[in-house]
Amino acid sequence: MKYYTYSKNKIVPYLFIAPQILVTILFFIWPSMMAVWQSVQEGDPFGISSEWAYIYNFKDVFLSKSYLHSLWITLLYGLFVSVFATVFGLILALLVCRVKRFAYIYKILLIWPYAVAPVIAAVLFRFLLNPAIGILTEFFSLFGYEWNYHLNQWDAFWIVVVSAVWQQISYNFLFFLVGLRSIPKSLLEAASIDGASNFQRFFHITLPLLSPTTFFLIVMNLIYSFFDTFGIIHIITQGGPSNSTNILVYKVFNDGFVGLDIGVSAAQSVILMLIVTSCVLLQFKYVEKKVHYS
Amino acid sequence: MATLELRNVTKKFKSDIVLDDINLEIAKGELGVLVGPSGCGKSTLLRMIAGLEPITSGDIKLNNKVINKKEPKDRDIAMVFQNYALYPHMTVFENMAYGLRIQKYKKAEILKRVDKAAEILELSSYLYKTPGELSGGQRQRVAMGRAIVRQPAVFLFDEPLSNLDSHLKVQMRREIKRLHRELGVTILYVTHDQTEAMTLAEKLIVFNKGRIEQISSPIGIYENPASIFVGSFIGYPSMNFLKGKIKNNKFVISDNELLDVNAETSNSVEDVVIGFRPENIYLNNDDYINENSLKLKVDEIELLGSDVLIYTNVEGVLENNKIILRMHKLLDLKYQDIISVNIPKKHIHIFDTNTGKSI
């Protein structure tokens, strides 16, 4: 392929992409490399001296019970966040597609949460579900449930799941809305003439045709829940109580920056990177076969 | 007895009348074609029959049963869409079998019907491909196959050939005709292409601005158009029209007595339009001048191969004077030549200028 060029200058094109390359190297590639380097080093907490630790950091990680617990919590968390965000996003998009009047108001309101910074969202849920003054806490107590996410592990787990889902629904909603719009109306009409009920039309026509969108969103949601919910957890639970919300990315931070065990923390981040990468690759290998791209 | 019957069917979108008092019957086994320009409401009518669009008032009857309020699936109709509307994630077989599967037909029966339809449509070797792998004409056939397997009371075709190239169009047109002949099914077919309409129809329904202009056999419509619109819409090149008056069985434009006509009504009708087809104009021989003659000045000559189209202006008339002639042989004519032609009385149609209707 021949590129469209206005000048024969060989340097200018590189200058144009230099800022992007620089940012990528500085903030993504170099830190990743450093993490890999540090994961095989044993350093003092001040970062002054270090020596080769080979695979001992990794051995430490896999032998620690708290890490395995964290792994289990993360998988559970990722599963719930992805499934709920996808399902609710789809349901809301379907409903908005059916609304005839003021659809744009619903659209704006449903996309709004995505514009809220994770930290702000987390503060919001902290207010709503605060054990002392939370309005939802009050509501739960009407049914005799004593809500307290500072004490109850599952309360803590659900509050971070709900906050994360609340934010991610908007993203899913937006993609599903566009996906639904791109399905030709005549297909659904043809199906209804063929005798398909509402449910049959949805499961036989709409859902299969949305599969590329759904697949993409599940991958994105998984990555989101594994990495981007750090802010929510940091504000609401700090990984507690008793590590019930200590997902892998938060444990990396806790062990490295709070516990100052740089080597083990780096090993964890390398493992996390591998876990997410293999998750995505597995999805591409197995799930994508069932996806229909038109 | 009509299979499909429309009685006073009206459709309004808010205050706009889209379809106005439509009355129509399609007999069992008949091929009816609805033809009209884009936006005349013909597709809306088809969608209303299919149940995809509610009707404002009137009755739609299928085999003498009113089906207005029924869901599309309970109407016993099948529809072929303009864009085919094939399910892209299903194979050809699944596309055709989908309706039967939903209605819980037995597997053996589904297989039998799909195989038979595929055989008729020459699709047998494509059954396990997806629509994306097929050509336009093949997709079109799958869409028809999907309709055939259900064995409905009426087939509705919504401009099914408009996405095909002209060569394929002619081929599919004949295919539809063959299918109709072999299966003896009732069809209502919508198109904006007058050639398609003329060649396919047993009963031709000309539509304009939400109203039926004329219902007749194709040849009946061609030879006796009920209005100026029908005359101009059906036939290519379009019918020639001249605007003038009638006095004593003579057609007059600003005191020029031009042609003799058969005016059955009163002897002098004000404001008429006369129409005659390009092929019904004959050149006069130099030695012998026919009675009903006109002098025309040649403007442009188009050679089509089998025919020649001659664009002319009527001599001595300044406005609305364009006339197209269709001749079968190339004549030795050039720009600005004056020719003398005759138009037999029986080929001249007279229309009322105000209503546009035939007099």
Side-chain angles (χ1 to χ4, degrees):
Chain A
M1 190 163 110
K2 218 172 169 203
Y3 286 96
Y4 212 82
T5 46
Y6 292 102
S7 80
K8 301 237 155 129
N9 198 320
K10 293 234 163 89
I11 299 165
V12 171
Y14 293 103
L15 286 179
F16 278 124
I17 57 166
Q20 182 62 46
I21 298 270
L22 206 69
V23 167
T24 312
I25 290 175
L26 212 61
F27 291 101
F28 294 96
I29 297 177
W30 187 54
S32 309
M33 292 293 122
M34 284 302 286
V36 174
W37 170 252
Q38 281 171 348
S39 71
V40 291
Q41 297 282 315
E42 166 98 65
D44 68 275
F46 309 105
I48 296 167
S49 65
S50 63
E51 56 187 58
W52 279 91
Y54 306 103
I55 58 158
Y56 287 103
N57 287 332
F58 289 92
K59 209 173 136 193
D60 268 8
V61 168
F62 282 115
L63 287 178
S64 114
K65 254 194 177 151
S66 77
Y67 185 79
L68 296 178
H69 173 73
S70 212
L71 184 63
W72 163 242
I73 289 287
T74 309
L75 292 177
L76 213 58
Y77 179 73
L79 180 78
F80 279 117
V81 171
S82 304
V83 170
F84 285 146
T86 314
V87 171
F88 285 118
L90 177 58
I91 290 174
L92 287 169
L94 283 167
L95 292 176
V96 166
C97 270
R98 292 190 148 225
V99 169
K100 292 220 166 70
R101 306 178 70 184
F102 306 120
Y104 65 100
I105 292 177
Y106 292 101
K107 267 184 254 170
I108 291 170
L109 290 177
L110 283 166
I111 293 166
W112 219 333
Y114 201 62
V116 176
V119 173
I120 310 285
V123 170
L124 227 132
F125 277 90
R126 244 171 71 167
F127 269 121
L128 281 174
L129 288 157
N130 184 294
I133 58 160
I135 200 163
L136 287 177
T137 313
E138 196 65 17
F139 180 71
F140 291 147
S141 72
L142 289 179
F143 299 97
Y145 186 75
E146 289 302 323
W147 169 271
N148 191 338
Y149 69 86
H150 291 316
L151 299 176
N152 188 328
Q153 298 190 9
W154 285 106
D155 285 359
F157 180 76
W158 286 115
I159 188 175
V160 289
V161 167
V162 167
S163 315
V165 168
W166 182 77
Q167 280 236 296
Q168 192 65 359
I169 278 178
S170 298
Y171 186 80
N172 287 269
F173 165 76
L174 200 60
F175 276 88
F176 276 128
L177 194 67
V178 175
L180 286 171
R181 288 277 155 82
S182 70
I183 296 176
K185 217 176 138 204
S186 61
L187 282 186
L188 297 170
E189 290 176 344
S192 70
I193 287 176
D194 267 347
S197 65
N198 262 328
F199 274 101
Q200 285 170 325
R201 287 204 293 274
F202 176 72
F203 285 107
H204 297 160
I205 314 291
T206 310
L207 210 52
L209 293 181
L210 277 181
S211 60
T213 312
T214 315
F215 174 65
F216 166 77
L217 284 175
I218 286 175
V219 171
M220 293 308 285
N221 287 342
L222 209 64
I223 293 172
Y224 165 80
S225 64
F226 275 29
F227 292 116
D228 293 351
T229 51
F230 174 85
I232 289 172
I233 288 178
H234 192 53
I235 295 294
I236 302 182
T237 63
Q238 290 89 41
S242 87
N243 290 334
S244 61
T245 56
N246 200 11
I247 64 167
L248 290 175
V249 68
Y250 199 76
K251 192 170 161 53
V252 169
F253 161 80
N254 239 350
D255 291 357
F257 293 87
V258 182
L260 292 177
D261 193 348
I262 307 287
V264 168
S265 167
Q268 285 178 27
S269 72
V270 170
I271 295 167
L272 181 56
M273 208 148 63
L274 291 176
I275 289 174
V276 174
T277 314
S278 52
C279 262
V280 173
L281 286 179
L282 275 177
Q283 283 182 346
F284 268 100
K285 192 160 162 50
Y286 293 105
V287 186
E288 206 193 14
K289 279 186 187 150
K290 296 189 175 155
V291 170
H292 168 82
Y293 293 104
S294 50
Chain B
M1 189 189 76
T3 298
L4 180 67
E5 202 179 335
L6 305 186
R7 284 280 159 259
N8 310 102
V9 171
T10 300
K11 171 77 178 172
K12 287 179 190 163
F13 282 126
K14 289 182 184 146
S15 60
D16 292 342
I17 298 177
V18 183
L19 292 167
D20 189 10
D21 199 24
I22 304 295
N23 288 290
L24 179 64
E25 286 177 9
I26 305 290
K28 190 169 168 54
E30 195 171 33
L31 201 170
V33 176
L34 261 170
V35 66
S38 342
C40 70
K42 55 194 192 305
S43 282
T44 308
L45 184 66
L46 208 66
R47 293 169 57 81
M48 280 160 53
I49 296 169
L52 300 173
E53 198 88 59
I55 70 172
T56 311
S57 63
D59 278 331
I60 299 172
K61 287 187 195 170
L62 192 59
N63 291 329
N64 277 338
K65 273 184 225 124
V66 178
I67 55 165
N68 298 2
K69 294 269 159 62
K70 285 192 178 171
E71 289 284 308
K73 65 189 170 87
D74 302 323
R75 290 197 177 196
D76 198 17
I77 43 115
M79 186 157 166
V80 177
F81 289 81
Q82 181 172 0
N83 59 2
Y84 321 136
L86 299 178
Y87 313 127
H89 56 297
M90 299 186 193
T91 62
V92 169
F93 179 87
E94 289 168 328
N95 260 286
M96 295 211 268
Y98 183 68
L100 301 177
R101 264 196 197 152
I102 291 269
Q103 285 158 42
K104 304 252 155 69
Y105 275 82
K106 290 216 173 73
K107 269 211 172 117
E109 175 71 11
I110 296 176
L111 223 74
K112 203 177 97 191
R113 287 200 191 181
V114 173
D115 273 346
K116 194 174 164 228
E119 199 179 304
I120 295 171
L121 294 162
E122 291 159 21
L123 282 170
S124 302
S125 49
Y126 302 103
L127 280 178
Y128 298 99
K129 294 199 167 183
T130 56
E133 298 168 289
L134 303 180
S135 69
Q138 288 165 341
R139 284 181 211 182
Q140 178 59 61
R141 280 203 281 260
V142 176
M144 289 200 283
R146 194 167 61 180
I148 289 171
V149 293
R150 304 220 349 253
Q151 302 176 353
V154 178
F155 286 77
L156 305 175
F157 284 83
D158 188 8
E159 310 223 12
L161 305 184
S162 57
N163 288 352
L164 301 178
D165 63 48
S166 57
H167 177 73
L168 213 52
K169 222 180 217 174
V170 175
Q171 193 189 329
M172 290 307 296
R173 202 161 76 198
R174 291 182 53 199
E175 202 114 315
I176 291 173
K177 218 165 175 171
R178 177 178 66 92
L179 269 179
H180 176 244
R181 195 175 55 232
E182 283 175 10
L183 302 176
V185 290
T186 314
I187 297 179
L188 184 59
Y189 187 105
V190 159
T191 179
H192 65 267
D193 180 336
Q194 58 95 16
T195 320
E196 214 172 288
M198 285 293 286
T199 48
L200 275 175
E202 287 174 348
K203 178 179 265 178
L204 187 56
I205 303 122
V206 185
F207 230 67
N208 188 30
K209 292 180 183 157
R211 287 167 182 277
I212 290 177
E213 291 269 339
Q214 191 174 3
I215 303 179
S216 183
S217 66
I219 199 69
I221 282 184
Y222 190 77
E223 289 185 343
N224 294 305
S227 64
I228 296 180
F229 173 80
V230 176
S232 65
F233 193 75
I234 301 293
Y236 179 84
S238 165
M239 193 178 243
N240 293 301
F241 294 103
L242 291 174
K243 211 167 159 182
K245 293 185 170 65
I246 285 183
K247 278 182 191 152
N248 304 320
N249 271 335
K250 290 240 180 238
F251 177 71
V252 180
I253 301 181
S254 47
D255 297 331
N256 258 342
E257 286 190 4
L258 289 174
L259 291 164
D260 290 335
V261 291
N262 283 323
E264 284 168 12
T265 46
S266 61
N267 276 346
S268 64
V269 188
E270 297 287 294
D271 296 335
V272 297
V273 170
I274 59 161
F276 41 91
R277 298 217 173 261
E279 65 270 28
N280 293 332
I281 305 172
Y282 302 95
L283 267 187
N284 282 325
N285 210 309
D286 281 345
D287 328 317
Y288 177 72
I289 305 292
N290 283 294
E291 279 174 20
N292 222 4
S293 289
L294 262 184
K295 282 214 179 325
L296 306 173
K297 189 187 254 177
V298 177
D299 193 30
E300 205 83 62
I301 298 168
E302 269 182 13
L303 184 63
L304 298 181
S306 60
D307 293 334
V308 187
L309 297 183
I310 306 168
Y311 294 77
T312 65
N313 298 316
V314 184
E315 265 286 277
V317 178
L318 294 175
E319 282 179 337
N320 296 320
N321 59 358
K322 297 202 182 324
I323 286 183
I324 304 173
L325 285 73
R326 182 180 200 145
M327 299 285 161
H328 295 299
K329 58 181 182 204
L330 188 55
L331 300 156
D332 188 19
L333 288 176
K334 54 185 187 299
Y335 179 63
Q336 298 282 328
D337 274 357
I338 306 279
I339 51 174
S340 168
V341 297
N342 87 82
I343 304 156
K345 255 197 229 174
K346 61 172 181 183
H347 290 312
I348 299 177
H349 308 279
I350 308 168
F351 305 98
D352 187 315
T353 312
N354 298 318
T355 61
K357 298 265 180 255
S358 167
I359 299 174

